[in-house]
């Protein structure tokens, strides 16, 4: 990637990651928990959500290294489940808000790429196409990865809605080991990254095909991320 593309990708990544967290706060606030508002996190301004290592340094290192796997995050938005009006239901909806925001951003980037391409403002070799394509991929990755039902990922918040009793208690206790489980699956079970990549590219295809840009995005992404 050239410097312009790298800078553009970093900006899109920061906005996407921090918007994901802000979405949790907005939905929690809507359902009665004002914790994020009280702590200054109920904003789309990326600065309050940025974590120097997980939001900037780690994704940038992975992009520059051409590892083929991009990972990052922001400071989690605080949510007090006990303040939600309907804790079980609302906690699941708060969890769904982050991936939902990333799907929305991916759709907006896809629409922008389609318009730019049809107006002749971008072609497959332009920095704009590269930035938008990687941005679509990053948001698909954030949506798919966070929907994995392993605590503390967002998918686990949604899964808890369908559990009760002892099963729910055991599931919640997994959270203290969640990060180790996730890292173990990613780096010790080769099939995990293969399955994730398939799901992410499947989602990108689903999003971009109706806009007529899949045939441009797919080879470009594979060339940039898996060379």
């Amino acid at each position: 990637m050239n410097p312009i593309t790298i800078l553009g990708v970093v900006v899109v990544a920061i906005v996407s990651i921090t918007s994901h967290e802000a979405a949790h706060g907005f939905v929690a606030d809507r359902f009665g928990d004002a914790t994020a508002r009280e702590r200054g996190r109920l904003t789309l301004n990326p600065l309050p959500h940025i974590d120097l290592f997980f939001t900037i340094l780690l994704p940038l290192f992975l992009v520059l290294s051409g590892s083929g796997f991009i990972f990052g995050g922001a400071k989690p938005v605080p949510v007090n489940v006990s303040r939600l009006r309907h804790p079980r239901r609302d906690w699941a909806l708060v969890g769904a808000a982050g991936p939902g925001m990333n799907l929305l951003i991916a759709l907006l980037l896809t629409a922008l790429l389609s318009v730019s391409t049809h107006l002749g403002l971008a072609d497959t070799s332009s920095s704009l196409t590269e930035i938008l394509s990687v941005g679509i991929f990053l948001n698909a990755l954030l949506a798919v990865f966070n929907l994995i039902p392993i605590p503390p990922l967002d998918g686990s918040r949604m899964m808890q809605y369908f559990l009760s009793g002892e099963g729910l208690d055991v599931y919640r206790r997994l959270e203290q080991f969640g990060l180790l489980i996730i890292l173990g699956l990613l780096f010790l079970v080769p099939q995990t990254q293969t399955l994730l990549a398939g799901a992410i590219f499947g989602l990108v295809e689903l999003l971009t095909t109706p806009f007529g840009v899949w045939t441009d995005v797919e080879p470009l992404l594979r060339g940039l991320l898996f060379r």
Side-chain angles (χ1 to χ4, degrees):
M1 293 186 189
N2 63 52
I4 294 176
T5 299
I6 292 172
L7 178 60
V9 167
V10 169
V11 171
V12 171
I14 291 173
V15 170
S16 300
I17 292 169
T18 57
S19 295
H20 174 108
E21 289 300 329
H24 291 311
F26 279 111
V27 173
D29 189 69
R30 173 66 178 81
F31 291 137
D33 175 26
T35 305
R37 180 188 298 277
E38 294 163 356
R39 299 188 186 180
R41 300 290 304 280
L42 198 63
T43 175
L44 288 175
N45 177 3
L47 294 179
H49 304 293
I50 287 176
D51 178 274
L52 178 61
F53 178 76
F54 283 106
T55 312
I56 298 176
L57 297 179
L58 180 59
L60 180 59
F61 169 77
L62 293 172
V63 168
L64 293 175
S65 67
S67 67
F69 182 76
I70 303 171
F71 179 74
K75 290 186 290 187
V77 164
V79 177
N80 186 339
V81 180
S82 65
R83 298 177 71 179
L84 297 170
R85 284 189 287 271
H86 304 284
R88 281 174 61 84
R89 184 205 67 183
D90 295 348
W91 189 215
L93 293 173
V94 169
M101 173 62 80
N102 292 123
L103 288 174
L104 177 60
I105 293 173
L107 278 171
L108 291 174
L109 293 176
T110 301
L112 180 57
L113 177 58
S114 179
V115 170
S116 299
T117 300
H118 285 95
L119 291 179
L121 302 176
D123 56 39
T124 55
S125 62
S126 70
S127 292
L128 179 59
T129 299
E130 292 182 346
I131 292 168
L132 293 175
S133 297
V134 175
I136 295 165
F137 177 87
L138 286 173
N139 279 279
L141 184 153
L142 287 167
V144 169
F145 182 78
N146 279 284
L147 285 173
I148 297 173
I150 298 176
L153 297 178
D154 298 332
S156 70
R157 311 311 187 199
M158 300 163 67
M159 178 65 72
Q160 288 181 41
Y161 179 76
F162 301 99
L163 300 175
S164 60
E166 185 176 351
L168 178 59
D169 292 337
V170 171
Y171 188 68
R172 285 174 172 168
R173 286 199 292 271
L174 286 176
E175 184 156 347
Q176 59 186 315
F177 308 109
L179 183 59
L180 291 176
I181 295 171
I182 293 164
L183 291 175
L185 288 172
L186 286 174
F187 296 106
L188 299 178
V189 183
Q191 294 84 353
T192 303
Q193 289 195 27
T194 302
L195 287 172
L196 273 177
I200 294 163
F201 270 99
L203 179 56
V204 172
E205 181 177 7
L206 181 65
L207 293 171
T208 58
T209 296
F211 289 88
V213 294
W214 167 246
T215 53
D216 295 327
V217 168
E218 192 265 347
L220 188 151
L221 284 175
R222 293 193 184 277
L224 287 174
L225 301 174
F226 301 105
R227 55 188 172 191

